[in-house]
């Protein structure tokens, strides 16, 4: 058991996050066309549907749960063990749902990430800290904070017609230097917030830009009801 999370190397953190992404990817695949049917038949708002689907599909593939409540502003949060051949690590997993027409980006709240957002906005460099800790502590025990998203992409002409789910695992803030060292080297895009109106700062993750840094961090699963299939192939 790794008791001191700060002793993990960057490569070891990457291994943990990669395994988590595989687990989320498989959970969506195993849920299959049920997500498509739920979106199609539910009278609820699409964001509410996405949240319900996320909770249900992850509860079916629950993994190695730690009996510890954790806190955060996401749809699904779980204390769990990540078991690798060489080590056992406690993880504070935060998974949020996004339902949007765009398949290129997802809107993120700062309360959902442990990274600093470094980007150019309005011609000036910006450095906004995420509000999640890199290492979460509950009852004196350390947990590696991991943030992931299930991005439900629906058709422009019909928001209840589910086209695809993108599984996206954001890097932990301990990997800042690898993924977003400065404002010019960034996978972030400006969010839909209006500071002049007092709205909270938001940002969007650009999937292609993140994939260019680590292809496995973004996985796409498409729905083909005409074929009776939910299709996704892991992209290394």
């Amino acid at each position: 058991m790794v008791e001191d999370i700060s002793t993990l190397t960057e490569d070891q953190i990457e291994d943990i996050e990669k395994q988590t992404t595989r687990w989320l990817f498989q959970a969506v695949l195993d849920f299959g066309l049920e997500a498509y049917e739920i979106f199609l038949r539910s009278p609820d708002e699409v964001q509410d549907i996405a949240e319900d689907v996320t909770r249900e599909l992850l509860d079916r593939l629950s993994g190695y749960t730690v009996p510890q409540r954790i806190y955060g502003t996401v749809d699904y949060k779980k204390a769990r063990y990540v078991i690798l051949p060489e080590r056992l690590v406690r993880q504070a997993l935060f998974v949020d749902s996004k339902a949007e027409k765009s398949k290129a980006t997802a809107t993120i709240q700062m309360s959902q990430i442990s990274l600093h957002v470094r980007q150019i906005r309005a011609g000036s460099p910006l450095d906004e800290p995420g509000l999640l800790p890199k290492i979460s502590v509950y009852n004196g025990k350390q947990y590696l904070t991991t943030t992931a998203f299930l991005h439900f992409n629906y058709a422009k002409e019909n928001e209840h017609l589910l086209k695809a789910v993108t599984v996206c695992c954001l890097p932990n803030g301990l990997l800042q230097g690898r993924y977003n060292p400065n404002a010019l080297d960034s996978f972030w895009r400006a969010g839909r917030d209006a500071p002049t109106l007092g709205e909270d700062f938001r940002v969007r993750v650009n999937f292609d830009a993140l994939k260019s840094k680590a292809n496995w961090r973004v996985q796409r699963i498409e729905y083909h009801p005409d074929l009776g299939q939910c299709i996704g192939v892991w992209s290394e």
Side-chain angles (χ1 to χ4, degrees):
M1 171 72 74
V2 178
E3 298 291 353
D4 184 358
I5 299 296
S6 66
T7 63
L8 291 172
T9 67
E10 291 185 347
D11 285 344
Q12 289 168 345
I13 294 171
E14 295 262 26
D15 286 343
I16 293 166
E17 294 183 339
K18 189 172 187 178
Q19 187 191 64
T20 301
T21 308
R22 283 189 182 274
W23 173 72
L24 294 170
F25 177 78
Q26 193 61 48
V28 176
L29 274 183
D30 285 356
F31 203 70
L33 283 177
E34 282 190 65
Y36 178 89
E37 293 293 335
I38 292 171
F39 265 77
L40 190 63
R41 301 181 186 281
S42 176
D44 296 335
E45 296 293 328
V46 287
Q47 183 59 43
D48 294 333
I49 301 171
E51 293 170 8
D52 289 343
V53 169
T54 293
R55 294 189 189 99
E56 186 171 347
L57 70 85
L58 291 181
D59 281 342
R60 291 191 188 182
L61 198 67
S62 57
Y64 302 96
T65 301
V66 179
Q68 171 64 55
R69 181 181 294 276
I70 63 175
Y71 301 94
T73 57
V74 295
D75 301 325
Y76 182 93
K77 40 195 176 289
K78 188 76 69 176
R80 58 196 295 268
Y81 293 113
V82 176
I83 300 175
L84 298 172
E86 304 84 5
R87 64 191 60 84
L88 180 70
V89 179
R90 296 185 188 92
Q91 179 188 56
L93 176 63
F94 300 91
V95 183
D96 204 50
S97 315
K98 310 293 179 183
E100 298 179 303
K101 294 178 183 178
S102 170
K103 65 179 181 181
T105 64
T107 301
I108 310 297
Q109 300 176 38
M110 299 306 292
S111 61
Q112 298 173 335
I113 60 175
S114 60
L115 282 163
H116 281 238
V117 170
R118 294 171 179 166
Q119 64 176 164
I120 301 294
R121 191 178 285 200
S124 299
L126 174 148
D127 188 330
E128 188 80 16
L131 300 180
L132 279 179
K134 303 175 185 69
I135 300 172
S136 300
V137 178
Y138 295 96
N139 289 327
K141 293 183 172 60
Q142 294 185 0
Y143 295 75
L144 180 69
T145 301
T146 302
T147 301
F149 298 90
L150 299 185
H151 180 269
F152 295 84
N153 172 220
Y154 56 82
K156 293 181 180 179
E157 66 277 7
N158 181 357
E159 64 182 15
H160 286 274
L161 189 63
L162 184 62
K163 297 176 66 178
V165 172
T166 298
V167 179
C168 176
C169 184
L170 290 179
N172 180 281
L174 295 169
L175 301 175
Q176 186 80 47
R178 284 193 177 189
Y179 287 91
N180 185 205
N182 55 64
L184 294 175
D185 186 358
S186 180
F187 57 86
W188 303 110
R189 300 295 181 264
R192 300 177 181 89
D193 60 275
T196 57
L197 299 179
E199 293 181 359
D200 290 339
F201 178 87
R202 290 193 178 192
V203 69
R204 288 179 296 150
V205 55
N206 182 281
F207 294 137
D208 284 345
L210 181 55
K211 279 176 71 69
S212 71
K213 293 178 175 291
N215 192 56
W216 58 265
R217 284 192 177 272
V218 180
Q219 305 288 333
R220 187 172 173 86
I221 297 164
E222 297 184 343
Y223 294 94
H224 297 273
D226 52 327
L227 302 176
Q229 291 182 319
C230 168
I231 299 174
V233 178
W234 175 264
S235 180
E236 191 66 32

